[in-house]
Amino acid sequence: MTAQLNRRSLLGLGASLGITVNFLGTQAFAASEGDLAKKKLVVVICRGGMDGLSVSPPVGDANYANLRGSIAMKPDQVLRLDNTFGLHPELTTVHALALKGEARIAPAIASPDRARSHFEAQDVLETGAAHVYGTETGWLNRTLEALAPVRKVEGLSVGTTAPLILRGKVQAASWSPGKGVDETARLPTLLQDLYKNDPMLGPAFARGLETETMAQQAMTAMAPTPAMNVAAASTPAMPGMPAPMSQNIANDRQNRAGSDAARKLGSTLGGFMIQAGGPQIAAISLDGFDTHAGQQGQIATRLSYMDAVLDGLHDGLGAEWKNTVVIAVTEFGRTARVNGTGGTDHGTASTGLVLGGALKKGGGIVGDWPGLADNALFENRDTAPTVDMRGLFKGVLADHIGVDRAILESKVFPDSAAAKPVTGLV
Amino acid sequence: MSKIACQCKGERRLSLPSKDMMAAIAVTRFGLGARPGEIDAAKADPQGFLIDQIRREGADIPQDGGETSAQRFEQMRDYQQQRKIEREKKDGEGDKSAPQAAKAADRALRDKVSADFLARAQLATNTSAGFRERWALFWANHFTVSSTKQITSVLIGPFEREAIRPNVFNSFENLLVASSTHPAMLTYLDQAQSIGPNSQIAVRRRGAKVGLNENLAREIMELHTVGVDAGYTQGDVTEFARALTGFSVGRDNEDRQGQFVFRDPAHEPGARTIMGRQYAQADIKQGMAVLKDLAADKRTARHVCGKIARHFVSDTPPPALTARLEKRWMATGGDLAQVAKALVESPEAWDPTPAKFKTPYEYTLSTWRLIGAEPSAIERLAPILTGLGQKPFSAPSPKGWPEDAQTWASPDGLIKRMQWAQGFAAVVADRTDPNALAVQALGDRLTPPVAKAVSRAETRKEAFALLVMSPEFQRR
């Protein structure tokens, strides 16, 4: 970006691109564009169907202990939020933020998908469509596309592979810890030349090189945190990389090492986002939430990694935390009842987390709590959804990032009219 | 470049590219990348070169000590026992010293998993039957088991040797039954502990801590057979899970320790209805009957043939190709040797435009094959694959590794590949003639821009890295 775009120049740009005046006329510029450009959004995708009743155990719900049986938590085991809800004891960062009014839970949130298939539900979560196979691009990418005529917004995913949520017309960056690019080598330039007519490799590689440059700056800026190495990339917190095979010996030490790496990952991501020209929107995936058996230990480890990523992100963003909203969601929740193997099976609504210094200070939950009475459960089985997660996404994109509401309804989340935007969060 | 042409006169006919081009495609698209001289060897009869690799006895078996899953299961149990003893001793006597014996046992088990993976990679780099190995890898990924559980991790090598490889040119039903009854699958998808709520065990224990686990049933329907859009309901999944109760693994004190057992007392009594069909059978016959029907279902043929076409040819394969595979599948009762043959015989599979982007495993192994070498130690291989996003034996979910270009051709993925290519070139390139290597790697698929870039490189290292990072080499 050369110069800051103002509204007048935007109108001209919009016209030259064939954008209708109607769109620009309804653009919600509550604040100046400069302020909106500072706002940051991080989406954490918890893969595998995260159990909401473990994230925010409703210990005050009369039916909770009975349904959960052997895996129920006692009221004094959880980090209390209110008379109904607590947080899992591993979520200390989230709890500390909640006490400051900088974190909320949405305890009964779900995508529109009801198939209880991981893969379909993840697709729906990431495409933002009303049905599976509704579209092949991700809603964060369509957000970048919608903003493009207004201001150039960078998107970044953390990890070697590109998640669906950021796939689409706009080439988003991806990054994972590594050794860095040798800037003296000719190879990057020669490859750019070789890829110049390749519609897939050309843009992706160019974006990869840009991101590497930014990574060097981000990590230098964060000294004395040591540069991350490839070993860190193999920690369980990384997307697509499950826990090391041995969870038994020196379990604590491994968990600590995993948490340290997760924290560094979060702080590096924060470092990226405060760079000039850095990403305004980022996505990060955490695996391993599919807990069919022996759930308690598994989910404690996963949640401790998530908490560490959030802690690191909070640190890495520094003063910019005040401009940030973080949303952590999963493709679906799990059964309300414990199953025969100390775990839970695929369910429906789960808990979403909304955090950030940009939130209006305050508490309370996002959406209603349907309760866990048998007749309140979805299909007498799962937590019933009260909030469509697209409503949460739409509310945050409109109020926090300044995406036009009409565009949100038509392009970013088509067929989502029934999902009312969650407003008043920022 | 010759392309498949449609001669729309009467019956639709497709023309194949030249034999030289077909040889390059046979080796790079259907196989694992060219070893020295391999493309030349395929030139006389490229389709025959592939068809000759199809054989009833199945895929090759990696040479890694050959321990059975029962042996591995027993070793894991011994290790867990040892650990338990040491932990109790530690608690009781305040002994803070590290649990040495358990630690050694843990390391030994991990070494075995590494040896399994290395042996598989060495087979892939050395085999002259690249198509046969790719066909086996496809099925191993279709029936994914992953090291997310410690007990499963030591069984993955045996799973491939015992359940997958012998059956990949067998009937699909046999492959499905072999994988669904293997201890690796039964532990990975939590089936081993699943108990019918009205079974003898549940009645005896009055329901305490026993019950159904529907994970395996769901993934068999969704991923292994009819596919998620087949129209089944949650009720069908639960009923199938009830039919499968009793499918388990023998315990320490049982004859069949670490092997498949059917536990009648855990089986849910009664008849089941699954996707509109009645299953009145008692005991193991009930689950087996469901598996048989699922294997024979035409929706299974459609789902799996679509996957085969996407794996070998394109993320969006020509519908005519998928239709051919499905037709052969249904005509032969899911005979996988026949389906493999149909793939090779389908002209749509020989479109010279390379569409598929190699996964990290395919990519790195094809690079070793190019120089006629093999990874000599797990340390030479595992960190690379982990860094490229495909940690050994650790598929992120039961769906297996993704195989589409969008996933792997990410900005970070390309940067990581380039860094690896630079390092690899620094070690091996000085022993090679880059121009000859480019021809050897790609045959008629080598394009002038890549040949030129390689020939103009400043050093052998640079030339080598350019070749293996070229669009042609990274696609197949």
Side-chain angles (χ1 to χ4, degrees):
Chain A
M1 285 303 293
T2 46
Q4 192 80 27
L5 286 175
N6 60 36
R7 187 161 184 180
R8 189 173 300 275
S9 70
L10 281 171
L11 283 164
L13 182 64
S16 71
L17 293 171
I19 309 282
T20 64
V21 174
N22 186 33
F23 151 50
L24 286 164
T26 55
Q27 190 72 32
F29 285 132
S32 73
E33 292 100 53
D35 278 349
L36 284 171
K38 284 186 198 147
K39 304 295 184 187
K40 293 163 186 64
L41 172 65
V42 179
V43 178
V44 182
I45 302 172
C46 302
R47 293 184 195 275
M50 180 170 71
D51 178 35
L53 298 181
S54 292
V55 173
S56 59
V59 289
D61 188 300
N63 296 292
Y64 164 76
N66 191 31
L67 285 170
R68 283 277 149 152
S70 61
I71 62 168
M73 283 184 212
K74 303 266 182 303
D76 60 352
Q77 284 179 301
V78 302
L79 308 167
R80 285 308 281 259
L81 288 175
D82 59 25
N83 287 334
T84 305
F85 295 101
L87 284 168
H88 190 281
E90 291 293 343
L91 295 174
T92 52
T93 301
V94 177
H95 189 240
L97 290 169
L99 293 182
K100 285 199 283 179
E102 294 183 352
R104 317 261 170 91
I105 59 167
I109 194 167
S111 85
D113 187 79
R114 296 287 175 269
R116 299 192 184 94
S117 150
H118 290 303
F119 320 111
E120 284 207 352
Q122 286 178 21
D123 278 5
V124 169
L125 186 163
E126 294 183 72
T127 60
H131 310 283
V132 70
Y133 312 125
T135 168
E136 286 172 355
T137 59
W139 62 266
L140 277 182
N141 198 287
R142 294 198 301 279
T143 299
L144 303 181
E145 206 184 327
L147 286 166
V150 182
R151 61 181 193 273
K152 191 178 176 216
V153 169
E154 302 289 345
L156 170 80
S157 66
V158 178
T160 308
T161 55
L164 179 55
I165 195 170
L166 264 167
R167 287 190 201 165
K169 283 192 190 139
V170 182
Q171 176 69 65
S174 68
W175 175 85
S176 71
K179 64 187 172 191
V181 171
D182 177 5
E183 283 170 10
T184 61
R186 291 170 7 122
L187 189 60
T189 315
L190 295 172
L191 284 176
Q192 275 185 300
D193 196 41
L194 207 52
Y195 295 165
K196 66 175 185 285
N197 294 322
D198 191 309
M200 185 174 73
L201 299 186
F205 187 67
R207 178 42 66 92
L209 289 175
E210 282 170 30
T211 310
E212 273 305 313
T213 308
M214 189 175 284
Q216 305 307 325
Q217 292 164 2
M219 283 186 288
T220 316
M222 289 196 318
T225 308
M228 303 190 46
N229 52 34
V230 177
S234 66
T235 59
M238 284 298 294
M241 297 175 187
M245 123 187 199
S246 170
Q247 289 271 308
N248 287 354
I249 290 214
N251 211 352
D252 286 352
R253 201 184 62 219
Q254 274 187 6
N255 284 352
R256 228 177 4 255
S259 291
D260 286 349
R263 190 170 285 107
K264 271 184 208 161
L265 200 69
S267 65
T268 307
L269 174 58
F272 263 112
M273 297 188 85
I274 59 176
Q275 300 278 305
Q280 197 180 344
I281 289 175
I284 179 167
S285 303
L286 304 175
D287 286 350
F289 285 97
D290 195 18
T291 49
H292 285 273
Q295 173 166 320
Q296 278 169 308
Q298 280 182 65
I299 201 152
T301 307
R302 294 292 140 189
L303 292 178
S304 78
Y305 292 149
M306 176 164 79
D307 198 71
V309 167
L310 296 171
D311 187 28
L313 184 62
H314 175 263
D315 279 1
L317 285 164
E320 285 301 305
W321 176 252
K322 69 172 189 294
N323 285 318
T324 302
V325 171
V326 182
I327 298 174
V329 281
T330 184
E331 71 264 26
F332 51 61
R334 310 192 71 82
T335 47
R337 294 180 186 88
V338 64
N339 68 12
T341 53
T344 48
D345 292 307
H346 300 184
T348 307
S350 182
T351 296
L353 299 174
V354 191
L355 312 89
L359 294 181
K360 273 184 191 152
K361 298 287 179 274
I365 63 172
V366 178
D368 295 326
W369 174 239
L372 296 175
D374 281 357
N375 61 5
L377 295 177
F378 178 71
E379 296 182 348
N380 187 27
R381 172 186 163 103
D382 313 326
T383 306
T386 63
V387 178
D388 185 321
M389 59 174 73
R390 293 172 302 168
L392 175 64
F393 302 153
K394 284 195 289 189
V396 170
L397 287 176
D399 297 348
H400 182 58
I401 302 291
V403 184
D404 177 79
R405 284 175 193 280
I407 299 268
L408 278 175
E409 298 292 346
S410 61
K411 297 279 197 303
V412 182
F413 295 100
D415 305 321
S416 70
K420 243 179 60 186
V422 176
T423 55
L425 283 173
V426 296
Chain B
M1 195 182 280
S2 53
K3 284 207 71 168
I4 291 172
C6 175
Q7 302 171 343
C8 297
K9 208 177 180 187
E11 195 180 293
R12 216 167 77 105
R13 290 180 59 193
L14 297 159
S15 68
L16 292 163
S18 75
K19 280 213 167 158
D20 283 3
M21 177 56 83
M22 282 180 75
I25 293 171
V27 171
T28 56
R29 176 175 305 156
F30 290 86
L32 285 154
R35 283 176 59 79
E38 196 176 355
I39 293 178
D40 281 343
K43 274 181 182 168
D45 178 10
Q47 283 170 307
F49 172 80
L50 298 176
I51 288 170
D52 287 349
Q53 297 181 29
I54 300 170
R55 55 175 200 191
R56 279 288 168 212
E57 63 264 43
D60 305 78
I61 303 292
Q63 299 304 303
D64 51 343
E67 283 181 343
T68 63
S69 43
Q71 287 169 315
R72 290 283 174 82
F73 199 87
E74 196 178 337
Q75 291 157 10
M76 179 57 79
R77 287 287 175 248
D78 288 350
Y79 154 68
Q80 285 168 338
Q81 201 74 36
Q82 184 68 38
R83 249 185 58 74
K84 198 168 160 237
I85 293 165
E86 285 176 356
R87 203 169 34 213
E88 280 163 5
K89 201 161 68 189
K90 201 169 115 185
D91 292 347
E93 299 165 15
D95 179 4
K96 292 279 191 289
S97 67
Q100 289 305 327
K103 214 174 202 170
D106 177 64
R107 194 173 309 119
L109 281 168
R110 267 190 286 176
D111 287 348
K112 288 179 181 185
V113 178
S114 296
D116 288 343
F117 192 81
L118 182 65
R120 179 196 203 244
Q122 288 175 337
L123 168 63
T125 51
N126 291 321
T127 183
S128 56
F131 175 52
R132 186 156 72 221
E133 181 62 13
R134 275 279 304 290
W135 189 255
L137 293 172
F138 169 80
W139 291 106
N141 198 45
H142 181 75
F143 292 105
T144 289
V145 292
S146 177
S147 62
T148 43
K149 286 194 178 72
Q150 190 181 22
I151 179 68
T152 310
S153 69
V154 299
L155 302 177
I156 300 174
F159 172 74
E160 286 192 11
R161 287 198 303 268
E162 294 163 1
I164 300 294
R165 290 175 180 271
N167 291 309
V168 293
F169 296 117
N170 205 318
S171 76
F172 178 75
E173 184 189 325
N174 287 353
L175 184 57
L176 175 66
V177 169
S179 67
S180 305
T181 55
H182 194 276
M185 189 66 81
L186 296 170
T187 55
Y188 176 53
L189 293 180
D190 310 291
Q191 173 63 35
Q193 315 298 327
S194 183
I195 292 169
N198 300 303
S199 64
Q200 295 166 41
I201 292 180
V203 171
R204 206 183 310 143
R205 294 193 210 161
R206 292 182 182 182
K209 278 201 161 186
V210 296
L212 209 58
N213 190 309
E214 64 185 36
N215 203 9
L216 177 65
R218 181 185 297 280
E219 304 304 17
I220 287 176
M221 293 174 95
E222 176 175 340
L223 300 173
H224 302 163
T225 62
V226 292
V228 69
D229 50 2
Y232 55 83
T233 64
Q234 174 62 46
D236 292 321
V237 173
T238 309
E239 278 290 273
F240 185 25
R242 288 184 183 129
L244 287 177
T245 47
F247 280 49
S248 189
V249 184
R251 284 188 291 259
D252 308 7
N253 52 353
E254 294 175 324
D255 287 349
R256 290 180 57 82
Q257 180 184 2
Q259 299 168 69
F260 174 72
V261 291
F262 181 76
R263 293 185 196 288
D264 205 31
H267 185 69
E268 177 74 0
R272 317 252 81 87
T273 302
I274 298 160
M275 294 168 81
R277 290 199 193 93
Q278 309 288 319
Y279 296 91
Q281 299 89 338
D283 60 55
I284 190 174
K285 292 189 206 80
Q286 190 172 55
M288 288 296 185
V290 184
L291 288 175
K292 192 181 169 71
D293 282 349
L294 285 171
D297 197 303
K298 65 178 191 302
R299 289 166 289 190
T300 297
R302 171 153 304 175
H303 174 225
V304 182
C305 289
K307 267 186 84 170
I308 294 170
R310 284 196 297 281
H311 174 84
F312 281 96
V313 176
S314 162
D315 291 347
T316 51
L321 170 62
T322 312
R324 278 178 209 275
L325 299 179
E326 258 180 78
K327 199 172 155 199
R328 188 77 63 93
W329 179 298
M330 291 310 292
T332 61
D335 180 339
L336 299 180
Q338 285 297 324
V339 176
K341 200 154 168 274
L343 174 70
V344 174
E345 288 167 353
S346 297
E348 296 87 359
W350 297 88
D351 186 328
T353 314
K356 289 296 287 191
F357 193 75
K358 292 176 181 174
T359 64
Y361 187 75
E362 294 165 348
Y363 175 66
T364 49
L365 293 187
S366 65
T367 307
W368 261 292
R369 285 177 70 85
L370 171 64
I371 56 165
E374 64 173 27
S376 56
I378 193 70
E379 293 78 13
R380 295 271 165 85
L381 182 63
I384 299 155
L385 293 175
T386 302
L388 293 175
Q390 202 172 22
K391 186 179 176 184
F393 284 160
S394 299
S397 80
K399 197 177 181 184
W401 293 109
E403 297 190 326
D404 61 311
Q406 288 273 353
T407 297
W408 298 112
S410 69
D412 191 60
L414 291 176
I415 295 295
K416 295 289 190 285
R417 279 188 193 205
M418 178 185 72
Q419 290 168 335
W420 175 75
Q422 279 175 305
F424 195 75
V427 178
V428 304
D430 284 344
R431 303 196 295 267
T432 64
D433 169 1
N435 297 312
L437 211 58
V439 175
Q440 194 167 285
L442 295 164
D444 263 24
R445 289 190 48 222
L446 179 64
T447 59
V450 173
K452 196 159 88 184
V454 168
S455 69
R456 284 182 179 176
E458 211 171 61
T459 61
R460 281 198 171 84
K461 290 187 187 72
E462 194 177 273
F464 186 93
L466 275 170
L467 171 63
V468 300
M469 284 301 289
S470 67
E472 287 93 322
F473 190 83
Q474 291 197 78
R475 291 197 180 96
R476 52 180 170 77

